[in-house]
Amino acid sequence: MSTSLIILVVIAGLVFWGISIYNGLVAMRQRVSQAFADVDVQLKQRHDLIPNLVETVKGYATHERETLDAVVKARNAAIAAQGPAAQGAAETVLSGALRQLFALAEAYPDLKANTNFQQLQTELADIENKIAAARRFFNNAVQEYNTGIESFPAVLVAGSLGFHKREFFDLGETRTQVEQVPQVKF
């Protein structure tokens, strides 16, 4: 009787241990998904702001069509990108195009002095800061999740339960360029 009780306790312990590991991994996976959604929200705000910025610049710099088209094209590519790696690459291109747009504004004093343009620049700088914070939170959640599924004893069951490594939101080689907040000069 006592041997079967010990076996039953060991089996129950293993079941609770498995449930605990599974629930912990699910919680970490949900945190990663939520963090990615937060990045996505910030990127959408950025994407929504860009057409207003382009329209404002158009009024002052109509013959700078190539720069304006590059910003619109980069925005559309960023909207269409799927997954952290593709979004990171597309956002890098978009940030470069926006830098060109702000450099263009330096050549047009009336545009630089325009209140609407100044407000859009300020909003964009604020959104860039929020995007950076959301990316850091996402990458931290991914790091915790990846560590969780690769740590013992979870590594024994994580793969068979459908838990796989997630990608970081990496900006690649152009990280130093993108991490610079757009300059707002008056």
Side-chain angles (χ1 to χ4, degrees), residues 24-165:
L25 293 175
V26 168
M28 285 188 274
R29 182 172 57 194
Q30 291 301 322
R31 214 172 5 259
V32 169
S33 296
Q34 182 234 343
F36 188 74
D38 290 347
V39 171
D40 218 27
V41 165
Q42 297 302 324
L43 292 176
K44 182 171 178 2
Q45 286 181 344
R46 180 187 193 198
H47 299 156
D48 291 347
L49 181 66
I50 290 171
N52 295 332
L53 190 61
V54 168
E55 286 301 315
T56 302
V57 173
K58 270 186 191 177
Y60 290 89
T62 53
H63 64 281
E64 302 288 352
R65 194 83 185 138
E66 185 178 314
T67 302
L68 297 172
D69 287 344
V71 171
V72 171
K73 182 180 174 186
R75 175 190 176 266
N76 292 340
I79 289 172
Q82 297 293 316
Q87 281 185 321
E91 292 299 326
T92 299
V93 172
L94 179 57
S95 293
L98 286 172
R99 265 192 284 294
Q100 288 177 337
L101 184 69
F102 289 130
L104 173 75
E106 293 295 319
Y108 296 90
D110 290 342
L111 171 62
K112 218 164 83 168
N114 179 285
T115 330
N116 191 29
F117 183 73
Q118 290 172 357
Q119 180 184 0
L120 290 169
Q121 274 189 311
T122 302
E123 285 180 41
L124 186 61
D126 184 49
I127 289 172
E128 292 291 339
N129 289 333
K130 289 177 182 176
I131 290 171
R135 284 178 180 154
R136 282 192 302 273
F137 182 74
F138 172 75
N139 285 338
N140 184 50
V142 168
Q143 182 270 327
E144 288 177 6
Y145 172 76
N146 287 346
T147 300
I149 64 172
E150 293 176 352
S151 297
F152 186 80
V155 70
L156 300 174
V157 294
S160 62
L161 293 175
F163 295 95
H164 304 288
K165 284 184 78 171

